[in-house]
Amino acid sequence: TEAGISRATFYKYFSEREEILAELFARLLGRDPVPAPPGGTGQALERIGQLLVATAERMLQDEVLARFVYTLPIRHAALLGEGARPPVLDTVERMLAEASEAGVVRTDVPSTLLAAHLGRAYEAAMRDWAEGRTADAPAQVRLLLDLSFHGITAAAGRTSGP
């Protein structure tokens, strides 16, 4: 109604709810390939963190849509269709594969699984923000990535925070 189109016109483009939600999610995450941040494989984890934090910041430019999409009670992977995923995760996977070849990250785990793990951490951070458990989405992304990269054990020289 607010867009000034009829229900029939709307359903000409979207035949079911999942198509509408998939479009909204694609608008947030984009459809185009995402370039990796500059730098070498030695800084792969830092560069991946920068990429995913920048993705969160970009999504927050449409805060209302981001909050709506991340509070939906359904998995976002289902919205994207079978086998589909946000292009940013393709970039993350490529970066992890390069880092694995260089011996920077684990080589005993496929880069597809490593990328899926980081994608779930990213999604959890955004859901935490959307549901009000944190006020700062990029900071939550950094925190959950730090947990993914370094685990929950105390490390020498790192006592708190990402």
Side-chain angles (χ1 to χ4, degrees):
T1 301
E2 293 219 6
I5 62 171
S6 71
R7 183 179 286 264
T9 300
F10 182 81
Y11 282 108
K12 176 181 175 186
Y13 295 98
F14 301 104
S15 62
E16 57 188 34
R17 180 185 134 179
E18 285 72 23
E19 288 178 3
I20 299 164
L21 297 175
E23 176 62 25
L24 295 175
F25 194 60
R27 286 184 186 197
L28 277 176
L29 290 173
R31 295 178 181 89
D32 298 327
V34 177
T41 53
Q43 299 93 23
L45 298 182
E46 180 181 318
R47 291 171 53 227
I48 289 168
Q50 291 170 354
L51 176 63
L52 292 175
V53 167
T55 299
E57 290 169 344
R58 183 175 49 85
M59 291 175 71
L60 293 178
Q61 291 173 3
D62 192 344
E63 185 176 332
V64 172
L65 180 58
R67 202 172 290 278
F68 170 74
V69 167
Y70 277 99
T71 55
L72 292 172
I74 53 180
R75 296 261 325 134
H76 298 142
L79 295 178
L80 293 171
E82 189 171 327
R85 65 181 179 172
V88 69
L89 290 183
D90 292 333
T91 303
V92 167
E93 185 178 330
R94 280 192 309 277
M95 293 172 72
L96 287 166
E98 292 168 6
S100 179
E101 288 174 13
V104 175
V105 298
R106 293 178 63 163
T107 58
D108 62 327
V109 178
S111 56
T112 53
L113 181 56
L114 295 174
H117 177 72
L118 295 182
R120 286 189 286 277
Y122 178 87
E123 186 173 300
M126 293 304 295
R127 188 172 298 277
D128 286 347
W129 164 78
E131 294 176 351
R133 288 186 291 278
T134 184
D136 188 343
Q140 190 73 354
V141 169
R142 283 186 204 95
L143 175 62
L144 294 188
L145 288 177
D146 183 64
L147 287 171
S148 293
F149 295 155
H150 305 293
I152 61 172
T153 58
R158 193 180 81 233
T159 57
S160 67

